[in-house]
Amino acid sequence: MAGTLFIVATPIGNLSDITERARQTLARVAVVAAEDTRHTGQLLSQYGVSVPMFALHEHNEADRADVLVARLVGGEDVALVSDAGTPLVSDPGYRLVAAAAAAGVRVVPLPGACAAIAALSVAGLPTDRFVFEGFLPSKTAARRARLSELVSEARTLVFYESPHRLKDALLDCREVFGADRRAALARELTKLHETIYRGTLGEMTLQATQDPNMARGECVLVIEGAPSCTEDLDLSRYDGVLRRLCAHAPLAVVADTVSELTGLRRNAVYERALLLKRLSDEEPT
Ligand code: SAM
């Protein structure tokens, strides 16, 4: 009989945030697949667990997943963990899960800590619908382009960000979404210096320039969605046309023409075209 693949969440800081079921499962599987076997070995030893480990990370997952699937098909139970939190959430694992499922292996989730969900739970922003965007691109032009795709997104946005890019990312968010959008920054969740900043993007960018602690440690940025206005959603559909027209005609003419053809408000079209033009002017040539 085939073994089972357990997808096991581990803490994102506080070692007590492990479930009893996770601890028991990790102690009894034949092998634990981990991103960094040394890091996970240390974590498991804190729980008194000693088990053979197998390195599975972003760069070798495609090749090594087959080895694990063969072991699963051969009857061994395998646990997958990541360095922290829930595997597959901005972490490797989906290729392994897909390969195991395709081979008829049972895949069982052991839920637990996840920085995105923990941040959402304390952000104080709507959580009934949200979009997890993972990490933004590291280069400014690509980051702004990605943000501009999200400018009309009405659902709450959740981003992972690295501390050394946080200030730039916040500035770009303010530029694209506007200074009045509400946001929350959840830093060092479950750790000693856990801090939750809440405010508008304008307030938050200002604070980031004044408070060096804000960009220390790990963080999750949560941003309120765009006001649910069908006009905004309709507008983003014309981004391609607006970009092309703006390259050949003054903004006022573009706004008049597109407004006349689509029935959208001229001012809204003008604002959108202005934003797109500003973003494209900032892209390196
Ligand atoms: N799989 C993990 C999860 O379930 O959250 C995420 C892994 S991803 C490679 C690492 C990113 O998650 C960090 O750069 C940070 O944005 C976020 N993160 C992880 N731990 C965190 C913490 N304790 N506080 C705030 N953000 C955290």
Side-chain angles (χ1 to χ4, degrees), residues 9 44 48 56 80 95 102 104 149 179 196 220-222 226 236 254 263 273 276:
L44 294 188
L56 187 92
L80 173 71
R95 292 183 190 85
E149 287 168 17
I196 316 296
V220 182
L221 180 59
V222 185
S236 64
V254 173
L276 294 170

Side-chain angles (χ1 to χ4, degrees), residues 10 12-13 35 82-91 113-117 119 132 135 159-163 186-191 217-221:
T10 55
I12 55 169
E35 274 185 275
S82 60
D83 282 353
T86 301
L88 281 82
V89 178
S90 285
D91 269 335
C114 173
I117 301 298
F132 175 62
F135 287 95
F159 301 97
Y160 283 164
E161 196 46 274
S162 81
R187 178 186 155 253
E188 293 287 82
L189 287 164
T190 78
K191 302 184 199 176
E218 300 187 284
C219 63
V220 182
L221 180 59

Side-chain angles (χ1 to χ4, degrees), residues 105-129:
V105 168
R106 189 167 163 238
V107 185
V108 172
L110 269 69
C114 173
I117 301 298
L120 261 178
S121 72
V122 292
L125 294 169
T127 48
D128 48 342
R129 296 169 73 216

Side-chain angles (χ1 to χ4, degrees), residues 5 32-37 53-68 79-83 92-97:
L5 173 61
V32 172
E35 274 185 275
D36 178 341
T37 51
M53 257 177 302
F54 184 93
L56 187 92
H57 46 74
E58 208 186 317
H59 306 293
N60 70 6
E61 185 183 351
D63 298 331
R64 300 204 90 189
D66 288 348
V67 179
L68 286 173
L80 173 71
V81 300
S82 60
D83 282 353
Y94 91 87
R95 292 183 190 85
L96 172 63
V97 170

Side-chain angles (χ1 to χ4, degrees), residues 124-172:
L125 294 169
T127 48
D128 48 342
R129 296 169 73 216
F130 61 87
V131 187
F132 175 62
E133 275 289 318
F135 287 95
L136 282 165
S138 54
K139 301 248 166 62
T140 305
R143 184 166 55 230
R144 288 186 174 200
R146 173 78 54 82
L147 292 172
S148 74
E149 287 168 17
L150 297 167
V151 79
S152 305
E153 175 56 66
R155 293 169 289 185
T156 295
L157 300 159
V158 183
F159 301 97
Y160 283 164
E161 196 46 274
S162 81
H164 64 276
R165 285 200 295 264
L166 177 68
K167 212 165 89 182
D168 288 343
L170 277 172
L171 285 166
D172 287 345

